[in-house]
């Protein structure tokens, strides 16, 4: 079998890439380990940055998202609430930065992507296993894998590793060329879905002595709530009653009074970590999405980062095939990582601002209170929050003309001057 671009993984990164490449007239084959039902059934976060919304619209993937909210479409949000104990503040987006976000579940995005790939006629081979990448530093790379017990080989020009945080593509980059940066957080998130009206029209990120809580939603009768929990907790530790009692404790009184409870229809626990693997290109292998970086869900950046990477990969590959120009491919890793690290920073910062860290003390709590007060009183602080939350630009132009004032961090010399 032969294709131009072999894509490993059919999550949002891999399936969006295949669809964008199809639009550019570049053929690809997608290799996915899981079944279609499994991929479509995963419950993930639900906030799309303004730039992600634009990408989905431009790619013809926004039909259901742009349907009226009352008919089950996406829900534009113009702000979020933050609370610290009983203090509550709202950060308005449009007034601060002139753009907003869209509440539209990743499950729905994945659904639309699989439908689009069917319509495109893109080959998606699912339930494959034993993916191995070969000859990455030659002009003729290939992927081998097993399907229905038989080994198959896919010859290609490029391989894009979109196989998520537990994927193996990044491990094909030799260890001495690969560097990983990691931060584990000493807690997890317990999430539930319940068929109840959301506690508020907007999301509430709540920081409390007892731990963090997040109130989110999917639509008028489907709420998504999260609680910070111990990293050793299992779902069985958390009855619905215990969940609702704890959530009420962590919300400001007014929100707690408005909370409508009901049976959970989904309940799961996820660990929190920040992780970046550099570089994002090695020879004919490019990495995109969770395969290269993981962020804690606090800033809802995971899906948005994947979309940003994929837009850059598609632009770089289009340039390669249309113009025979590889400059954009050469700049892909550096360009993508610059944006990735800003989202890693924001996700880490918002996690640090809102969670209770078991090993920290009153000093840290006072710092959190100071940050919160700064947000409450400074339009500049709120604008910085809104700028990051609604999404920094996807820097397609920097694939060809990097801004002169942006430099890759280097180790300072003893005098503080750059080496
Ligand atoms: N071979 C083939 N497919 C694989 C392999 C493998 N060895 N390992 C993993 N996969 C598949 C997974 O089954 C999954 O469908 O790769 C896909 C990766 O998808 P995601 O984990 O959704 O990652 P990504 O597409 O980068 O999307 C990032 O989705 O995972 C969330 O929180 C994440 O919001 C973020 C966004
Ligand atoms: C969600 O709706 O699942 C969600 C929203 C915001 C986050 C994380 C998850 O920061």
């Amino acid at each position: 079998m032969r294709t131009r671009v072999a894509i490993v993984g059919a999550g949002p990164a891999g399936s969006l890439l295949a669809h964008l490449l199809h639009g550019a007239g570049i053929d690809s084959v997608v290799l996915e380990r899981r079944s279609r039902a499994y991929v479509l059934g995963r419950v993930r976060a639900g906030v799309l940055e303004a730039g992600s919304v634009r990408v989905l619209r431009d790619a013809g993937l926004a039909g259901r998202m742009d349907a009226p909210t009352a008919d089950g479409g996406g829900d534009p949000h113009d702000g979020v609430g933050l609370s610290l104990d009983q203090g509550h503040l709202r950060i308005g987006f449009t007034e601060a930065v002139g753009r907003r976000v869209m509440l539209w579940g990743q499950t729905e995005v994945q659904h639309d992507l699989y439908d689009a790939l069917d319509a495109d006629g893109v080959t998606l081979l699912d339930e494959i296993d034993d993916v191995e990448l070969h000859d990455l530093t030659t002009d003729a790379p290939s992927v081998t894998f097993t399907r229905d017990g038989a080994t198959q080989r896919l010859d290609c020009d490029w391989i894009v590793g979109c196989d998520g945080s537990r994927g193996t593509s990044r491990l094909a980059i030799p260890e001495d060329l690969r560097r990983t940066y990691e931060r584990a957080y000493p807690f997890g998130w317990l999430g539930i879905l319940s068929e109840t009206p959301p506690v508020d029209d907007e999301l509430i990120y709540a920081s409390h002595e007892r731990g963090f809580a997040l109130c989110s939603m999917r639509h008028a009768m489907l709420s998504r709530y999260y609680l910070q929990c111990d990293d050793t907790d299992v779902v069985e530790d958390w009855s619905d009653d215990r969940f609702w009692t704890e959530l009420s404790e962590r919300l400001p009184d007014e929100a707690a009074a408005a909370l409508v409870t009901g049976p959970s229809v989904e309940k799961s626990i996820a660990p929190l970590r920040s992780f970046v693997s550099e570089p994002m290109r090695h020879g004919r292998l490019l990495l995109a999405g969770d395969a290269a970086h993981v962020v804690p869900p606090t800033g809802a950046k995971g899906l948005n980062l994947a979309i940003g990477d994929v837009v850059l990969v598609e632009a770089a590959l289009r340039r390669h095939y249309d113009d025979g120009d590889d400059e954009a491919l050469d700049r892909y890793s550096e360009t993508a990582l610059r944006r990735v690290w800003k989202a890693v920073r924001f996700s880490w910062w918002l996690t640090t601002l809102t969670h209770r860290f078991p090993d920290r003390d009153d000093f840290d709590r006072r710092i959190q209170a100071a940050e919160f007060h700064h947000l409450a009183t400074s339009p500049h602080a709120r604008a910085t929050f809104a700028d990051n939350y609604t999404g920094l630009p996807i820097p397609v132009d920097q694939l060809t003309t990097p801004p002169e004032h942006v430099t890759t961090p280097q180790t300072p010399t003893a005098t503080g001057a750059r080496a």
Side-chain angles (χ1 to χ4, degrees), residues 7-15 31-35 38-39 42 44-45 106 110 114 125 128-132 145 161-169 288-295 297 300-307 309-310:
I7 300 173
V8 186
S15 39
L31 305 171
E32 167 58 48
R33 186 163 57 181
R34 300 290 195 165
S35 68
Y38 183 93
V39 173
R42 290 190 289 223
R44 297 264 177 80
Q106 183 170 320
Q110 187 75 60
Y114 265 40
L125 303 176
I128 58 105
D129 213 345
D130 306 317
V131 162
E132 283 184 37
F145 56 95
C162 298
D163 47 352
S165 57
R166 289 193 216 116
T168 51
S169 296
D290 273 23
H293 41 74
V294 178
V295 287
K301 291 290 170 222
L303 171 61
N304 294 293
L305 279 181
I307 291 175
D309 290 352
V310 159

Side-chain angles (χ1 to χ4, degrees), residues 190 227 229-244 246 267 269:
L190 165 68
L227 287 178
C229 63
D230 287 348
D231 49 9
T232 50
D233 282 3
V234 289
V235 165
E236 291 69 33
D237 295 333
W238 286 88
S239 65
D240 286 357
D241 277 351
R242 182 178 174 207
F243 185 94
W244 292 118
E246 188 62 33
K267 195 184 281 174
I269 292 184

Side-chain angles (χ1 to χ4, degrees), residues 20-202:
L20 295 180
L21 289 175
H22 175 81
I26 301 168
D27 62 281
S28 67
V29 169
V30 191
L31 305 171
E32 167 58 48
R33 186 163 57 181
R34 300 290 195 165
S35 68
R36 186 178 181 107
Y38 183 93
V39 173
L40 291 175
R42 290 190 289 223
V43 178
R44 297 264 177 80
V47 179
L48 290 176
E49 295 174 352
S52 300
V53 169
R54 212 162 27 243
V55 169
L56 297 183
R57 283 190 183 136
D58 289 350
L61 293 164
R64 291 194 315 124
M65 179 181 80
D66 283 337
T69 307
D71 297 340
D75 190 6
H77 276 224
D78 197 18
V80 288
L82 287 185
S83 73
L84 179 72
D85 299 326
Q86 288 304 318
H88 185 78
L89 72 97
R90 175 177 187 272
I91 300 181
F93 298 148
T94 307
E95 69 190 59
V97 290
R99 52 181 193 270
R100 52 190 186 170
V101 296
M102 180 77 85
L103 263 275
W104 180 239
Q106 183 170 320
T107 313
E108 306 301 331
V109 174
Q110 187 75 60
H111 176 296
D112 289 343
L113 281 165
Y114 265 40
D115 281 356
L117 294 187
D118 289 345
D120 294 343
V122 168
T123 304
L124 192 165
L125 303 176
D126 54 17
E127 300 189 67
I128 58 105
D129 213 345
D130 306 317
V131 162
E132 283 184 37
L133 315 185
H134 309 279
D135 303 321
L136 297 176
T137 52
T138 72
D139 289 349
S142 63
V143 184
T144 54
F145 56 95
T146 54
R147 191 163 197 240
D148 299 329
T151 300
Q152 299 191 33
R153 175 186 163 123
L154 176 61
D155 292 301
C156 55
D157 302 335
W158 297 91
I159 300 170
V160 188
C162 298
D163 47 352
S165 57
R166 289 193 216 116
T168 51
S169 296
R170 70 172 167 274
L171 304 179
I173 302 179
E175 226 173 330
D176 56 332
L177 300 179
R178 188 162 32 93
R179 172 116 198 241
T180 55
Y181 301 83
E182 190 156 16
R183 172 105 349 142
Y185 301 89
F187 38 73
W189 270 24
L190 165 68
I192 69 158
L193 273 175
S194 79
E195 289 169 338
T196 50
V199 67
D200 194 75
D201 292 344
E202 294 185 341

Side-chain angles (χ1 to χ4, degrees), residues 4-5 26 157-158 316-325:
R4 280 175 155 180
V5 184
I26 301 168
D157 302 335
W158 297 91
L317 285 173
R318 194 156 22 92
R319 216 171 162 94
H320 168 81
Y321 285 110
D322 289 356
D323 308 332
D325 180 353

